[in-house]
Amino acid sequence: MKKLAAVISTTLLVASASANAQFYLGAKAGVTWLDDFCTTGACDEDSWALGSFLGYEITDAVAIEAGLDALGETTGAGYKDAGMSAYTLAPRFSFALNEDLDLFAKIGGAHVKYGNDEDGALLGAIGLNYSIIPSIDIQAELQHFNGISIETTSFDANTFTLGFRSKFGGSSEPTPEPVEEVLVEETVVEEVVVVTPVVKTFETKVVDSGSFELNSSELKPASKQKLEELVVFMNEYPQANVEVVGYTDTSGAASYNQKLSEKRAQSVANALEAEGIDASRITVSGQGESNPIASNDTHEGRVQNRRVEITVPAFEYEEK
């Protein structure tokens, strides 16, 4: 009995270290066989096995388990068809193989009764445990009772059982891991105002032939007032440039018309410069008879074709 007392003392010492746990209850059934039991021919060392057990789960890996095992009825050691039973107590150690399957082992002690005799024995077990749902497991277990002494016979007992266990009394919520406080440095982001450029232009202005002296490139003084709106625009938007292009009809020689278109365009450019528009912002050209906007076969068409077009190309500026 001293070996059983030592095992029980060690088991209780392990149990006293528990802080948080849950209980489980289980049952099992299988077969029993004995080693070194039969010394004569009139002997039977194989039988059935039934068992129940109660456990106290300290952690996912360690539990304390007590059990009652019925090891069937055998013949030997002076008994015929005598029942054998064992009370067990042992720590149970589990090793996860995957999320649902565990390998477990037990090393503890047992108090074995056979007929009218009893003895203490060392207990060892190994098995597999599979979780069906969080609270229900099934298990297969191989159990060994070592060094049982009945009268003058010393033998070992073995069981192989299939069973289940049900957990209760514990919280299904996992123990929260300690949260390390992290100091977060606040970064102040300066807001950047994005200014979207605006596209600006000026409606093309046409200076017709009536704005010039007859057969001349000289711009009439009264006609210079037509440029006032453009001058105001050019002063308001210094990034704006202007293109001045002269045209004629097909009357007369083409070379004469080319020069006349250039001179009339330059006359308009001079008027803009006189109003303070820098010459670098003005592009001047003459197209002569090209690009008519009406028929040169009629008087009215020829009047329309004799013109100077003033165009401000589109430009971008930022609104303030």
Side-chain angles (χ1 to χ4, degrees), residues 52-63:
S52 62
F53 52 92
L54 175 66
Y56 184 63
E57 195 171 71
I58 302 170
T59 68
D60 289 341
V62 180

Side-chain angles (χ1 to χ4, degrees), residues 175-181:
T175 304
E177 295 291 335
V179 178
E180 180 180 356
E181 184 176 353

Side-chain angles (χ1 to χ4, degrees), residues 98-177:
N98 58 42
E99 186 176 350
D100 298 317
L101 184 64
D102 294 341
L103 173 68
F104 69 87
K106 296 188 296 184
I107 301 177
H111 181 74
V112 181
K113 295 184 66 176
Y114 185 58
N116 296 323
D117 293 298
E118 57 187 61
D119 189 28
L122 295 177
L123 169 70
I126 190 170
L128 290 173
N129 188 84
Y130 182 77
S131 176
I132 303 174
I133 59 176
S135 60
I136 300 292
D137 301 340
I138 58 174
Q139 69 175 38
E141 180 184 52
L142 176 63
Q143 195 166 230
H144 178 75
F145 300 87
N146 187 75
I148 305 171
S149 296
I150 301 297
E151 295 292 340
T152 59
T153 303
S154 180
F155 61 94
D156 300 333
N158 307 282
T159 64
F160 177 76
T161 56
L162 298 176
F164 73 94
R165 66 173 184 163
S166 176
K167 299 179 182 180
F168 60 93
S171 172
S172 61
E173 296 294 329
T175 304
E177 295 291 335

Side-chain angles (χ1 to χ4, degrees), residues 204-222:
T204 300
K205 183 175 286 297
V206 177
V207 179
D208 57 29
S209 59
S211 300
F212 296 92
E213 298 293 346
L214 185 63
N215 292 325
S216 172
S217 61
E218 185 179 350
L219 191 63
K220 294 178 180 180

